[in-house]
Amino acid sequence: MPIIKILPHAEYCPQGAELSAPAGTSICEALLEHHINIEHACEMSCACTTCHVIVREGFESLAPSEEDEDDLLDQAWGLQPN
Ligand code: FES
């Protein structure tokens, strides 16, 4: 089962965390299931980008983004290539 390491974030996860999630689970779903309550304004219907995260390691293990996702991310605040 994939392991997701969450770096400390003052608002969402001050101590950091390490969690496992079944393959195919979105990072947003995994965080919410472990009570790390990141914003998700459209309830994960891919319409808002408030749930976007920065992946520091393991980016290559993720499915490639789709064109609609890239178009939405172009409007996201604090966007980084990863
Ligand atoms: S909650 Fe993820 S795109 Fe809106």
Side-chain angles (χ1 to χ4, degrees):
M1 195 174 305
I3 302 294
I4 303 172
K5 292 184 180 179
I6 313 301
L7 298 178
H9 184 282
E11 182 176 352
Y12 297 111
C13 188
Q15 304 303 316
E18 185 170 308
L19 54 96
S20 60
T25 302
S26 76
I27 294 173
C28 185
E29 290 171 324
L31 296 176
L32 294 172
E33 286 173 9
H34 289 81
H35 309 289
I36 299 171
N37 297 315
I38 66 168
E39 293 184 42
H40 55 291
C42 73
E43 297 294 333
M44 296 178 277
S45 63
C46 299
C48 72
T49 72
T50 57
C51 66
H52 78 274
V53 297
I54 298 169
V55 177
R56 298 281 186 215
E57 293 181 15
F59 195 79
E60 67 284 349
S61 68
L62 301 174
S65 59
E66 296 178 3
E67 188 173 336
D68 289 352
E69 187 178 7
D70 289 339
D71 289 346
L72 277 171
L73 284 170
D74 284 343
Q75 303 168 28
W77 50 266
L79 186 68
Q80 297 186 15
N82 54 350

